[in-house]
Amino acid sequence: MTSSCLGFTRISWANPGGWSPCSLATWLPLPAGSLSCAWVPDDCGSPREAVCNFVCDCRGCLDELQCGFHGAAPAPGAPFTCNFERDSCGWQDISTSGYSWLRDRAGAALDWPRARTDHTLGTDLGWYMAVDTHRGKEASTAVLRSPPLHEAAAPCQIRLWFHAASGDVAELRLELTHGAETLTLWRSSGPWGPGWQELAVATGRIWGDFRVTFSATRNATHRGAVVLDDVEFWSCGLPTPRASCPLGQHHCRNKACVEPHQLCDGEDNCGDGSDEDPATCSHHTVTDFETGLGLWNLSEGWSLNHSAGGLEHPAWPRRDHSRNSAKGSFLISVAKPSTPAVLSSPKLQASGGHCALVFYHYLCGSEAASLQLFLQFQDHGASQTPVLLRSRRGELGDIWVRDRVDIRSVHPFRILLIGQTGPGGVVGLDDLILSDRCTPVLGEPTPCTPPPKAHCPSPHLTQFWPRRALCPQTPPPQPQDSCEPGSLSCGDLCVPPEQLCDFQQQCAGGEDEQHCGTTDFESTAGGWEDTSVGRLQWQRLEAQDSRGPAGHFLSLQRAWGQLEAVASVLTPALGPSGPACELHMAYYFQSHPQGLLALVLVEGGYRELVWHAPGSSNGSWTVHTVPLGARRRPFRLEFVGLVDLDGPSQQGAGVDNVTLRGCSPMVTTEKDREVTCNFERDTCGWHAGHLTDAHWHRVKSSGPDYDHTTGQGHFVLLDPAEPLARGPSAQLLTGLQTPGALTECVSFWYHLHGPQIGTLLLSMRREGAVETALWLRSGSHGNRWQQAWATLTHQPGSKYQLLFEGLRDGFQGTMGLDDVVVRPGPCWAPRHCSFEDSACGFSTGGQGLWRHQTNATGQAVQGPWADHTTETAQGHYMVVDMSPHALARGHVASLSSEKHGPLAQPACLTFWYHLSLQNPGTLRVHVEEGERRQVFSVSAHGGLAWRLGSVDVQAERAWRVVFEAEAAGVEYAYIAVDDLSLEDGPCPQPASCDFESGLCGWSHLPWPSPGGYSWDWSSGATPSRYLQPSVDHTLGTEAGHFAFFETGVLGPGGQAAWLRSEPLPATEGSCLRFWYHMGFPEHFYKGELRVLLSSTRGQLTVWGTGGRQRHQWLEGQVQVASPEEFQLMFEATLGGQPTLGPIALDDVQYLAGQPCYLPAPSQGDGPAPTLVPVVVGGALFLLLLLGLLGFAGQRWLRKRGGCLFLGRRETGAAQGFDNILFNAEGITLPTPVTSDQ
């Protein structure tokens, strides 16, 4: 069973105003007992009941350690919280099967179908509690339990964030156990959205010890992956004793202080029950429905019930208010939406002309549910027209909410409570408390009163009854049975609910678009409904001061709710909206210290903060416009506010003249058709998507962020670590476009830069068709703008949208877009192709033998286990089955590219190929420019690795590249191709690179692990947000390029960054030369650069240097040997405290079969280091010689500032390498560097 009442959270800011409530005599917005302002001793021996009670009784809050939250005392107004970054805070897994909870890092298990980032940090380095998928047919439940907690105050709330992909979990449940009873606080079977979901529940007053459990249930069809993060306990501590109370407050028996209106209100506000003491409250008339209706009379629709009586109803209360128990009773209405349920009091008299009613109400399961309170006067024995005093409408959540009505009348009266459920809704009442001055008129009959029509209080009554409702809001009467429930009748037309407030007028008079948020508040509230449950509320009031002209507006006022302080007011369901949708409004906001006035967009379970008032607002009216953009239906707008009405300077907040403009999705302008855009004037026809809280922003060139058009203009930028961003991606898209031709080319410039940047994707959406990926790049592509393009193919009469999506699968770096152009005709073939998004226009000549393939399911018939681009089974490549049944011996399968444009200079075409272990045959590469010429051929047994192929290309005309696979007739054979790239300039030698055109064949893809980082590519002249050398080594100028890595990103959990060569053949001895640059501050900060040799036998460090180096290019070389195929790797890491400092590489040369030599020492240098051959063998005397030589060489090198590394990698077992020869470093210091370094 799924609960439709998903908590009552409005917005979750911890102490948004930054107030210090201990300095205030009365702090209205927070419930009593939520803060501890008592004196704290230096040390204490807390009794058991003072441990884990949400109050810091000991200095340092040591009595609250491991209590399900971090023991540190929170800031005033903030919750006790556990984010699982340091430990599990005392939460324990008590599961009885292999399906269980564990604390894990977000990026630790990349194959799990769970959140890739935590909620606290929003990155893969954060921690959370997780349940792994569990195979098997038997149902299992994973249970996470808190430590024993002691006492929860009446306003206590538990908030947490969970992530469960829809369909992965059969059921989630949050329960509280105290004594012999277990309360189900929340229970749901989904569906849940794709991102993080917030859950907030109220515990009510809990006496004594209790525990909280969060459980996830799986079965044969639900794998059960779910994660939990940021558990918070709000306002759970009981009020602390005080020697004296502020003026006007009540001093409880336990020396706590409460407000006078909290006496005899049905809640234990003191913490010892003394504010509800029978001696104090004996003259109040309390109806808790435990033994009946008391004085009250009901009509059809209401019934006495308890929690167990309606659990088949998803919105049914799980406990009453009086006893906070599933065994308690309450009054409930589940009548048909068109049938009101009426509860009436007997005729009452207000002794002394004044009395009050406190009551608790429950509205859950339907936005159309409502509860109204009327007062019907008895004048000279005749009943007058009832007057509406309270009206609550909408979804308040699975919670009992307090309200109070103060009545002043010299005439007898009756109180009428009218409940209407709405579709799927439940309305409940409990704890009706009449004050001691409300006395029944004796001898009067109690007639059944028909449901009254709604009337707002007359002007002379408003001073006595502050209205909870934004009255009047009663829609015009509708013909009975003319339309389905929820539909609107206008003339002969029935408008269904999904077409109400959709920004498209259906009724001739526009009735379907009234009460949809646009209003000046003069006659109505325009559909805005107050849903506050705390001590503030939104009310439509008449202006009575000098802030603006006379009239009505929406204002923050006091309320009687007992829960969270933030006041909320919402529109009905709106949308869909178009990209030009805006909200125009006037507001005033005055709060000292700072409070809160904000606009939130609610869409499903997702809440987006779209605007908030500046904290420096002075209280004068300000006109403002908030862009909303294109949104799916249904969405709602919500104003939230928080001020201290008892504070200084007449604090307050108000909203007026709200107008929604340009929101129809059917209205398009000339600007909406502007897809070609350089972003200098605005974003043209491109607009930000709003499905997540990560967003693209149009920015002006500044510092390291510069545009492509002029270098000083505008572009759109995405920072994946943008504050508050937790969503999986950010979208930038167009509206629906009409093609100018059946084939078009879209070109653009992109910038992907940073040590851990994610993925940029271009897709096309067609009406009624599946979204098509056109182009994709992942990871850093250097600190420069690069051009890309893709061909758009359209059907006659169709429309389309273009969508750029930046995926948050990396968190260090930036993405940029600029100079988007759409023109008729096809594009040239792309210069880079990873096959991740598509086949890049490659054709098979009608044979269909080459396939675009991924091995994600493990069901691929033939092909490598992982691709080269991502090195995972989810990656894509092109493959051809070379088995005899698929391709006969001697037959050829061709794969041809689209046409490439003429080349102005020689270029290098590189590609990665993979041959099966069984001899597949021959792979040939041809360049076709009028005639076909062969430029590459390989025919050999393959292996487990992808290998790099490169060919020099010159073409004065359009040309193609053609891959031909000729079969050898061997079973289980294949040939695969991946990662084609065309770069200007001649091809370098294997494992050699001057980095002027890129990284050559060196791969910078990080290992799939938490905190995986990659090397980058830049020049000294290019602005960068990361430290880098000012000049390169090749040219010695700012224009030259180099590979570099900024070690400052290696924070907690960060490992290292690797730059890997292509696979190299076995060698008895070859030399690797390179120039490196390291710049670190003084003292204990230092980076480390190592050269690793990696093969199937493991990894071995063959060269290394560490410590502080001056900001100059230094030469390094090392001789390597391996009896089998291997790769060389440069590893950059830290050897000390995290600090900003670059490590750079340039002019890498791999001299196959050549020994290293020692360069002549520069003038002023000491003797050059000698070559020290070290042989790793099995003989004992050679090992002894190795130790002696290593010890002597290390002592000598320490005098020179160098460092000798002899296989320090844990993953590289020395015994895995036989007869590998490697040398000590040979370093030549530039002339300016003296021997005192």
Side-chain angles (χ1 to χ4, degrees):
M1 181 182 66
T2 300
S3 172
S4 60
C5 302
L6 300 181
F8 52 89
T9 297
R10 301 294 174 248
I11 199 159
S12 299
W13 287 296
N15 191 24
W19 300 334
S20 177
C22 297
S23 64
L24 300 177
T26 302
W27 197 60
L28 181 62
L30 282 183
S34 61
L35 302 170
S36 173
C37 304
W39 172 76
V40 178
D42 289 332
D43 62 326
C44 63
S46 294
R48 189 185 68 83
E49 61 269 15
V51 176
C52 296
N53 68 342
F54 310 103
V55 177
C56 294
D57 300 291
C58 299
R59 184 171 299 279
C61 214
L62 297 178
D63 54 311
E64 302 299 305
L65 288 175
Q66 297 297 305
C67 294
F69 40 83
H70 298 307
F80 283 93
T81 181
C82 179
N83 57 23
F84 302 107
E85 296 302 314
R86 294 181 298 187
D87 52 42
S88 62
C89 307
W91 288 85
Q92 291 183 332
D93 174 71
I94 58 170
S95 309
T96 57
S97 67
Y99 182 58
S100 57
W101 292 90
L102 74 159
R103 176 177 171 266
D104 204 359
R105 178 167 277 164
L110 299 180
D111 293 334
W112 286 16
R114 54 174 166 90
R116 296 287 189 258
T117 66
D118 79 325
H119 182 264
T120 310
L121 304 179
T123 73
D124 60 343
L125 291 179
W127 294 80
Y128 48 44
M129 297 299 294
V131 177
D132 191 4
T133 57
H134 185 67
R135 303 295 179 182
K137 297 181 179 180
E138 297 296 326
S140 303
T141 298
V143 183
L144 186 67
R145 187 177 68 182
S146 75
L149 304 173
H150 188 74
E151 302 283 352
C156 179
Q157 304 169 25
I158 301 175
R159 300 186 185 186
L160 56 86
W161 292 82
F162 68 93
H163 187 291
S166 182
D168 266 356
V169 186
E171 184 183 74
L172 295 175
R173 190 186 295 237
L174 183 67
E175 295 176 317
L176 185 150
T177 300
H178 67 108
E181 183 174 13
T182 295
L183 295 174
T184 300
L185 302 180
W186 173 79
R187 177 183 178 185
S188 177
S189 300
W192 304 287
W196 284 97
Q197 308 287 311
E198 186 181 20
L199 171 64
V201 297
T203 67
R205 177 70 170 99
I206 304 295
W207 293 78
D209 293 342
F210 67 95
R211 290 179 184 263
V212 177
T213 58
F214 188 84
S215 59
T217 300
R218 64 157 303 278
N219 54 32
T221 59
H222 298 79
R223 295 179 295 174
V226 61
V227 296
L228 174 71
D229 204 1
D230 289 333
V231 180
E232 299 173 343
F233 293 87
W234 287 77
S235 307
C236 294
L238 297 178
T240 55
R242 297 187 180 186
S244 62
C245 293
L247 182 64
Q249 291 192 0
H250 173 73
H251 214 175
C252 303
R253 189 179 300 131
N254 61 0
K255 303 303 181 182
C257 299
V258 298
E259 297 289 341
H261 64 78
Q262 293 178 310
L263 299 176
C264 305
D265 68 344
E267 291 216 321
D268 175 22
N269 299 292
C270 287
D272 63 351
S274 59
D275 55 318
E276 304 299 314
D277 185 73
T280 304
C281 306
S282 60
H283 297 292
H284 289 65
T285 304
V286 179
T287 303
D288 59 11
F289 302 110
E290 298 301 325
T291 58
L293 296 176
L295 297 175
W296 297 82
N297 301 277
L298 54 82
S299 68
E300 284 190 28
W302 292 111
S303 65
L304 278 173
N305 219 313
H306 49 82
S307 295
L311 288 181
E312 69 281 355
H313 197 296
W316 197 264
R318 302 190 179 278
R319 54 214 154 110
D320 75 331
H321 176 265
S322 312
R323 300 167 58 184
N324 195 25
S325 169
K327 302 174 184 178
S329 299
F330 44 78
L331 202 61
I332 198 76
S333 173
V334 290
K336 294 181 179 179
S338 59
T339 304
V342 183
L343 182 71
S344 63
S345 74
K347 184 185 293 186
L348 301 172
Q349 182 74 51
S351 177
H354 174 267
C355 70
L357 169 69
V358 173
F359 62 99
Y360 290 82
H361 57 282
Y362 179 96
L363 278 76
C364 186
S366 174
E367 297 295 343
S370 67
L371 178 69
Q372 295 174 309
L373 187 148
F374 293 87
L375 204 64
Q376 187 177 43
F377 295 100
Q378 308 290 312
D379 190 7
H380 303 294
S383 297
Q384 303 298 312
T385 302
V387 177
L388 178 65
L389 299 187
R390 289 287 189 274
S391 179
R392 297 306 305 268
R393 180 183 176 89
E395 168 71 74
L396 299 184
D398 184 12
I399 185 172
W400 293 97
V401 180
R402 179 179 61 194
D403 204 347
R404 170 173 167 153
V405 176
D406 289 312
I407 303 169
R408 294 182 182 180
S409 174
V410 297
H411 301 290
F413 59 88
R414 282 192 175 90
I415 300 172
L416 308 177
L417 288 159
I418 315 288
Q420 290 188 279
T421 59
V426 170
V427 178
L429 287 169
D430 202 1
D431 288 338
L432 277 59
I433 304 171
L434 289 166
S435 69
D436 53 356
R437 293 178 177 268
C438 289
T439 58
V441 178
L442 299 178
E444 289 290 332
T446 307
C448 292
T449 306
K453 296 181 179 179
H455 291 275
C456 283
S458 58
H460 70 277
L461 291 175
T462 55
Q463 58 180 319
F464 302 120
W465 297 296
R467 288 167 290 173
R468 182 69 171 218
L470 305 178
C471 191
Q473 295 224 64
T474 306
Q478 301 177 20
Q480 294 294 320
D481 302 324
S482 61
C483 296
E484 293 292 328
S487 298
L488 173 67
S489 174
C490 54
D492 296 331
L493 183 66
C494 284
V495 183
E498 61 272 14
Q499 292 182 2
L500 300 176
C501 300
D502 64 351
F503 306 112
Q504 301 178 60
Q505 183 173 314
Q506 309 290 332
C507 300
E511 295 89 342
D512 56 315
E513 297 302 312
Q514 295 177 1
H515 309 289
C516 297
T518 294
T519 181
D520 59 6
F521 298 104
E522 294 308 316
S523 58
T524 74
W528 293 89
E529 291 279 357
D530 179 70
T531 57
S532 308
V533 294
R535 301 189 180 184
L536 289 174
Q537 63 178 327
W538 288 97
Q539 282 186 318
R540 175 179 163 268
L541 292 182
E542 185 175 1
Q544 297 177 350
D545 54 30
S546 59
R547 288 192 178 98
H552 292 80
F553 66 100
L554 201 59
S555 175
L556 270 183
Q557 298 294 313
R558 290 179 176 85
W560 298 106
Q562 80 279 27
L563 296 169
E564 63 179 15
V566 176
S568 302
V569 62
L570 288 104
T571 66
L574 307 175
S577 63
C581 185
E582 294 177 336
L583 181 140
H584 297 252
M585 66 174 175
Y587 73 92
Y588 83 86
F589 177 57
Q590 184 170 358
S591 180
H592 302 286
Q594 182 182 1
L596 171 69
L597 175 62
L599 179 66
V600 177
L601 190 141
V602 183
E603 191 170 356
Y606 168 68
R607 304 170 56 81
E608 178 187 352
L609 177 66
V610 294
W611 170 83
H612 66 90
S616 58
S617 300
N618 58 11
S620 61
W621 284 99
T622 303
V623 177
H624 192 72
T625 299
V626 181
L628 300 177
R631 307 281 179 164
R632 297 179 180 177
R633 182 181 180 91
F635 71 90
R636 306 177 77 191
L637 298 176
E638 176 184 15
F639 280 112
V640 294
L642 179 65
V643 296
D644 181 9
L645 295 179
D646 290 325
S649 304
Q650 294 184 337
Q651 299 185 38
V655 177
D656 202 359
N657 296 336
V658 178
T659 306
L660 292 166
R661 296 179 185 172
C663 292
S664 174
M666 305 306 295
V667 176
T668 59
T669 64
E670 187 64 31
K671 178 182 175 181
D672 296 330
R673 294 187 284 272
E674 293 180 359
V675 179
T676 295
C677 189
N678 61 12
F679 302 103
E680 294 304 319
R681 183 189 73 236
D682 50 32
T683 58
C684 310
W686 295 88
H687 61 274
H690 297 281
L691 296 182
T692 77
D693 55 357
H695 299 299
W696 292 88
H697 298 284
R698 176 177 170 268
V699 298
K700 182 175 176 57
S701 299
S702 175
D705 301 323
Y706 61 97
D707 80 322
H708 172 262
T709 313
T710 66
Q712 299 177 344
H714 294 78
F715 65 103
V716 288
L717 176 74
L718 171 64
D719 184 348
E722 181 181 18
L724 300 180
R726 295 295 182 271
S729 66
Q731 297 181 341
L732 187 71
L733 66 161
T734 67
L736 283 174
Q737 304 294 318
T738 301
L742 293 181
T743 302
E744 295 179 306
C745 177
V746 55
S747 66
F748 54 94
W749 291 82
Y750 69 95
H751 194 282
L752 283 173
H753 174 49
Q756 195 202 33
I757 194 60
T759 300
L760 180 60
L761 172 68
L762 171 64
S763 302
M764 181 170 66
R765 293 175 176 172
R766 298 186 182 92
E767 287 184 306
V770 179
E771 187 173 294
T772 304
L774 301 175
W775 176 91
L776 180 146
R777 291 289 182 274
S778 293
S780 177
H781 282 66
N783 187 19
R784 67 172 177 179
W785 286 96
Q786 305 202 58
Q787 190 178 24
W789 50 82
T791 298
L792 311 178
T793 303
H794 308 293
Q795 298 296 325
S798 65
K799 293 186 177 182
Y800 71 96
Q801 284 180 285
L802 292 179
L803 166 67
F804 282 106
E805 188 169 17
L807 305 182
R808 292 186 67 250
D809 49 1
F811 310 98
Q812 295 280 353
T814 55
M815 300 182 186
L817 286 169
D818 204 359
D819 295 330
V820 181
V821 176
V822 176
R823 60 171 178 81
C827 303
W828 293 115
R831 293 178 69 94
H832 305 275
C833 178
S834 65
F835 298 110
E836 293 307 308
D837 48 287
S838 65
C840 301
F842 275 87
S843 63
T844 61
Q847 296 175 306
L849 298 175
W850 286 85
R851 300 189 310 276
H852 183 228
Q853 178 176 291
T854 179
N855 196 30
T857 63
Q859 303 299 317
V861 178
Q862 296 291 343
W865 174 83
D867 75 327
H868 177 264
T869 311
T870 68
E871 299 186 7
T872 67
Q874 287 72 36
H876 293 75
Y877 49 81
M878 297 297 294
V879 66
V880 58
D881 188 353
M882 306 292 284
S883 302
H885 69 274
L887 191 65
R889 179 184 177 90
H891 285 219
V892 173
S894 296
L895 183 68
S896 301
S897 74
E898 296 176 318
K899 286 186 177 181
H900 287 268
L903 299 176
Q905 58 179 315
C908 177
L909 174 67
T910 61
F911 56 91
W912 290 82
Y913 63 93
H914 198 292
L915 308 180
S916 58
L917 287 172
Q918 297 79 12
N919 181 19
T922 303
L923 173 65
R924 301 185 183 93
V925 180
H926 301 267
V927 170
E928 191 174 83
E929 184 188 6
E931 61 182 21
R932 179 179 295 188
R933 66 180 186 274
Q934 181 176 313
V935 293
F936 179 89
S937 177
V938 61
S939 179
H941 294 280
L944 300 177
W946 287 89
R947 291 172 173 79
L948 178 66
S950 60
V951 295
D952 291 299
V953 180
Q954 290 182 321
E956 297 179 354
R957 296 174 295 170
W959 59 281
R960 302 177 189 269
V961 59
V962 181
F963 292 90
E964 281 189 352
E966 181 179 341
V970 178
E971 290 287 351
Y972 309 112
Y974 62 84
I975 294 177
V977 176
D978 201 1
D979 285 333
L980 279 72
S981 181
L982 184 66
E983 299 283 357
D984 294 334
C987 295
Q989 294 299 312
S992 300
C993 192
D994 62 9
F995 300 107
E996 292 308 312
S997 298
L999 295 178
C1000 309
W1002 289 84
S1003 172
H1004 63 166
L1005 187 73
W1007 295 115
S1009 63
Y1013 300 103
S1014 63
W1015 287 70
D1016 219 323
W1017 178 85
S1018 187
S1019 69
T1022 308
S1024 174
R1025 58 176 60 190
Y1026 304 103
L1027 294 176
Q1028 60 183 25
S1030 58
V1031 299
D1032 80 326
H1033 178 264
T1034 309
L1035 304 179
T1037 69
E1038 292 182 348
H1041 293 79
F1042 45 79
F1044 81 102
F1045 177 69
E1046 169 53 70
T1047 60
V1049 301
L1050 295 177
Q1055 299 176 354
W1058 293 273
L1059 192 65
R1060 289 175 284 163
S1061 74
E1062 62 188 276
L1064 300 170
T1067 178
E1068 295 182 357
S1070 299
C1071 185
L1072 176 70
R1073 290 181 183 164
F1074 52 92
W1075 288 81
Y1076 66 95
H1077 183 288
M1078 303 175 72
F1080 291 86
E1082 301 284 347
H1083 309 303
F1084 53 88
Y1085 298 107
K1086 67 175 183 177
E1088 293 186 355
L1089 176 66
R1090 300 172 183 150
V1091 178
L1092 310 179
L1093 189 152
S1094 176
S1095 73
T1096 58
R1097 303 186 181 190
Q1099 292 181 359
L1100 187 68
T1101 301
V1102 296
W1103 180 94
T1105 185
R1108 182 181 63 84
Q1109 301 287 350
R1110 296 196 176 182
H1111 296 266
Q1112 301 201 31
W1113 287 99
L1114 308 175
E1115 185 181 16
Q1117 61 179 348
V1118 59
Q1119 189 159 327
V1120 296
S1122 176
E1124 63 181 25
E1125 186 178 63
F1126 66 99
Q1127 286 178 284
L1128 294 171
M1129 300 169 58
F1130 287 100
E1131 179 187 68
T1133 187
L1134 285 175
Q1137 296 293 327
T1139 184
L1140 296 176
I1143 298 177
L1145 285 171
D1146 204 0
D1147 293 331
V1148 178
Q1149 284 184 295
Y1150 177 70
L1151 305 174
Q1154 299 183 29
C1156 291
Y1157 66 91
L1158 287 177
S1162 301
Q1163 186 177 2
D1165 291 337
T1170 58
L1171 219 61
V1172 185
V1174 182
V1175 177
V1176 182
L1180 180 61
F1181 75 93
L1182 288 179
L1183 291 175
L1184 179 61
L1185 179 61
L1186 169 65
L1188 292 174
L1189 289 176
F1191 177 77
Q1194 193 170 31
R1195 286 177 57 87
W1196 187 87
L1197 286 171
R1198 283 176 179 170
K1199 299 178 181 180
R1200 296 278 302 161
C1203 183
L1204 183 64
F1205 293 81
L1206 298 178
R1208 290 171 55 183
R1209 296 278 299 178
E1210 294 182 3
T1211 55
Q1215 64 269 22
F1217 290 84
D1218 294 330
N1219 300 321
I1220 291 182
L1221 181 69
F1222 66 100
N1223 299 336
E1225 56 183 327
I1227 301 175
T1228 301
L1229 301 179
T1231 302
V1233 180
T1234 58
S1235 58
D1236 63 352
Q1237 180 175 335

